[in-house]
């Protein structure tokens, strides 16, 4: 009964060519099928919304982790993202998991040893690559105050 009421509510005001109400124009089977279609569509939309929420949450954590890398390594945002991606690749760990560790690190004052070593090595590579690029274009790093 709920399905028929739902379909009648969704289709209220829509008439078929014969002029009959939707529930009268088609059999119960058609209504149930339509309602099942609506239910499936709603379920798909809810799943997509949930997936989007998770993705946005992961992106927020990744952005925060890039901030940690920037602060810890003294690098710019682009380099921070590249370092995070390199650490993920070299440790064979999803970027979101690496990001979780990095975001928790300041509070816990602990980072898994392997992750810490790979992070330090990636930052060293990034800094030396940046120094080479600076010396090739003639610019010099700004001096500390």
């Amino acid at each position: 009964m709920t399905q028929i009421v739902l379909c009648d509510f969704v289709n209220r005001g829509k008439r078929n060519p014969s002029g009959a109400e939707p529930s009268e124009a088609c059999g119960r089977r058609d209504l149930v099928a339509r309602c099942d279609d609506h239910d499936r569509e709603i379920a798909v939309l809810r799943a997509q919304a949930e997936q989007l929420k998770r993705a946005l949450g992961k992106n927020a954590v990744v952005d925060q982790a890039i901030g940690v890398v920037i602060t810890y390594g003294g690098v710019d945002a682009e380099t921070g993202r590249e370092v995070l991606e390199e650490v993920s690749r070299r440790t064979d760990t999803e970027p979101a998991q690496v990001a979780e560790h990095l975001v928790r690190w300041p509070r816990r004052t602990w980072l898994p040893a392997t992750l810490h070593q790979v992070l330090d090595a990636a930052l060293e590579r990034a800094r030396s690559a940046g120094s080479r690029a600076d010396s090739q274009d003639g610019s010099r790093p700004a001096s500390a105050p």
Side-chain angles (χ1 to χ4, degrees), residues 3 28 30 32 49 56 68 74 82 94 96 121 132 137 140:
Q3 291 175 335
R28 177 173 166 70
D30 291 340
V32 170
L56 290 174
V68 171
E82 291 167 0
E94 289 291 321
R132 284 193 305 271
D137 71 8
R140 294 183 358 203

Side-chain angles (χ1 to χ4, degrees), residues 54-55 57-69 80-104 111 115 119:
R54 283 193 306 273
K58 285 180 184 179
N59 284 344
V61 172
V62 168
D63 288 343
Q64 292 169 10
I66 291 168
V68 171
V69 172
R81 179 172 293 284
E82 291 167 0
V83 166
L84 179 64
E85 290 169 355
E86 180 180 341
V87 170
S88 172
R89 277 192 314 275
R90 290 184 181 269
T91 60
D92 195 29
T93 307
E94 289 291 321
Q97 285 182 300
V98 172
E100 287 283 340
H101 283 295
L102 290 172
V103 168
R104 288 190 205 129
L111 190 63
L115 197 62
L119 174 63

Side-chain angles (χ1 to χ4, degrees), residues 17 24 31 38 44 63-65 69 93 105 121 124 134 137 139 141:
E24 297 167 359
L31 283 174
H38 289 296
V44 166
D63 288 343
Q64 292 169 10
V69 172
T93 307
W105 181 25
E124 186 58 38
D134 288 344
D137 71 8
S139 63

Side-chain angles (χ1 to χ4, degrees), residues 105-116:
W105 181 25
R107 282 190 313 256
R108 293 191 318 196
T109 66
W110 175 84
L111 190 63
T114 303
L115 197 62
H116 203 177

